[in-house]
Amino acid sequence: MKTNVKVIWQDGTKGNGSLKTEFLDTKITIPKEFGGSGNGASPKEILIASATACYSSVLTSMVESKGLPIVEITIDSEGITSDDEFKIIHYPHVILSESATEKQIQSADRLFAVADKGCTIGNLLKKADVKIEIIGQISTR
């Protein structure tokens, strides 16, 4: 499988770029803390967004394949950088219908870790010593 990405950059470090793929078109920039304008997505934001998109698609597929009565899935993620590590924490929230059984709720809860193992982007990042943590929540509505 091949993926094409095109970046067009203007006006040096204080400028910004345009990152385009088949379905993505976003403004990118060098963060202010590194001398850039900060008027666009940073490489770290794009990396975290990629990991989040991968995790969310795997989790959604798994929840659906189990036939769980899904209402909504949301995932907030954050990247934390320190001197000796880079960590991404995903906070998935699965909302099941009020008719969900306890067995279905437990099944959904187990899928948080299973989806993490099935995410190819997350697995590549882990090989590069990025720590990925999952703190999931399930509710009914």
Side-chain angles (χ1 to χ4, degrees), residues 11-135:
D11 299 326
T13 58
K14 294 288 185 191
N16 60 52
S18 171
L19 181 144
K20 293 183 181 186
T21 69
E22 185 177 359
F23 298 105
L24 177 66
D25 185 355
T26 193
K27 192 171 164 182
I28 60 172
T29 188
I30 297 171
K32 284 185 178 182
E33 61 265 26
F34 297 118
S37 69
N39 290 328
S42 72
K44 189 185 339 178
E45 287 174 312
I46 294 169
L47 179 69
I48 296 165
S50 178
T52 304
C54 180
Y55 179 76
S56 65
S57 65
V58 173
L59 180 62
T60 299
S61 294
M62 290 181 166
V63 167
E64 189 174 291
S65 73
K66 293 286 185 187
L68 300 177
I70 186 83
V71 173
E72 181 178 270
I73 296 175
T74 61
I75 301 173
D76 292 313
S77 297
E78 64 183 346
I80 302 168
T81 307
S82 67
D83 289 339
D84 58 347
E85 83 173 357
F86 180 55
K87 181 197 290 192
I88 297 173
I89 305 173
H90 296 306
Y91 298 94
H93 182 190
V94 173
I95 302 172
L96 300 175
S97 72
E98 288 180 353
S99 64
T101 66
E102 186 58 36
K103 185 177 178 181
Q104 289 173 320
I105 292 169
Q106 290 172 358
S107 178
D109 191 50
R110 285 190 297 275
L111 290 178
F112 292 134
V114 176
D116 179 44
K117 290 179 179 145
C119 174
T120 56
I121 301 298
N123 290 334
L124 287 170
L125 290 172
K126 289 174 191 174
K127 287 180 181 179
D129 290 328
V130 174
K131 308 286 188 264
I132 297 181
E133 185 177 338
I134 312 295
I135 301 173

